[in-house]
Amino acid sequence: MNSKTGIQIRPVQKGDAASLLGLFEALDNETTMMLWEPGERGLTLDMQQDRVNGYLDSVTQAMRVAEIVDENGDTSDIVGSAVAIGGKARRNAHVLTIAMGVQRQYWGKGIGAQLLQQLVDWARLHQFVRLELTVMAHNERAVSLYQRLGFEIEGRHVKSLKVDGEWVDEFTMALLL
């Protein structure tokens, strides 16, 4: 980003499916901090459009995207996203599970914090009580971000992932509203 561009955080829209596919492909290829390996998601444009449609006007799930805005107010690439999915049973309907990713070149610019804060605000509006997520234990940057926003480490999942042939632990983190 230069001084004439910025980032806009907004709810996902119908026309975002193709851009999201590009974002997910970029994330999977540029970092090992995400769940999916390159080429593993297997999403088609129709599948992604169905997912986007599921977020529109939902009271049980939400998606926010970060997109570049130029000096004229025109938007272009989606460079980050965050989703919150509510529990499906009455016993966990108050819980949102969070997942997010931001392209590497935009790390450290506050985008993750903005995406997450919008989901926290949405959760409060919709009377959710608990937000939870998992994060690789060695991902200090992400753990620090989540802690700054009030999430606490609740547990450690030992050897929960295998990344590049190495075992990786994950933390479960939660924010109680």
Side-chain angles (χ1 to χ4, degrees), residues 54-55 57-62 84-88 93 95-96 122 126 128:
Y55 293 114
D57 300 319
S58 176
V59 296
T60 61
Q61 58 184 6
I85 310 273
K88 304 290 186 220
V95 177
L96 280 176
W122 182 89
H126 291 86
F128 284 89

Side-chain angles (χ1 to χ4, degrees), residues 20-163:
L20 285 167
L21 283 178
L23 170 66
F24 298 149
E25 181 180 357
L27 290 172
D28 296 344
N29 282 302
E30 71 185 16
T31 180
T32 58
M33 298 296 180
M34 304 297 290
L35 177 63
W36 301 101
E37 293 181 4
E40 188 178 22
R41 283 182 200 251
L43 285 174
T44 66
L45 185 57
D46 287 340
M47 291 165 69
Q48 185 59 48
Q49 187 61 59
D50 288 345
R51 287 182 174 192
V52 167
N53 291 341
Y55 293 114
L56 302 176
D57 300 319
S58 176
V59 296
T60 61
Q61 58 184 6
M63 181 179 214
R64 297 293 181 265
V65 298
E67 65 183 348
I68 298 171
V69 180
D70 70 17
E71 66 272 9
N72 299 318
D74 295 325
T75 58
S76 59
D77 297 331
I78 292 177
V79 298
S81 72
V83 299
I85 310 273
K88 304 290 186 220
R90 283 190 295 265
R91 291 181 178 182
N92 73 348
H94 63 286
V95 177
L96 280 176
T97 301
I98 306 286
M100 65 181 249
V102 174
Q103 283 186 275
R104 181 182 297 273
Q105 73 185 80
Y106 296 96
W107 289 359
K109 299 184 183 309
I111 295 169
Q114 292 177 63
L115 285 164
L116 197 52
Q117 186 60 57
Q118 282 209 13
L119 289 182
V120 169
D121 294 344
W122 182 89
R124 282 191 173 105
L125 179 68
H126 291 86
Q127 301 178 339
F128 284 89
V129 175
R130 176 185 172 87
L131 283 72
E132 60 187 25
L133 55 85
T134 59
V135 59
M136 292 181 192
H138 68 278
N139 189 348
E140 295 172 6
R141 179 182 214 105
V143 170
S144 176
L145 165 65
Y146 300 140
Q147 288 175 325
R148 281 194 314 273
L149 291 172
F151 284 76
E152 295 182 12
I153 296 172
E154 291 187 332
R156 183 181 199 109
H157 302 261
V158 177
K159 293 184 178 181
S160 76
L161 300 172
K162 196 168 193 179
V163 179

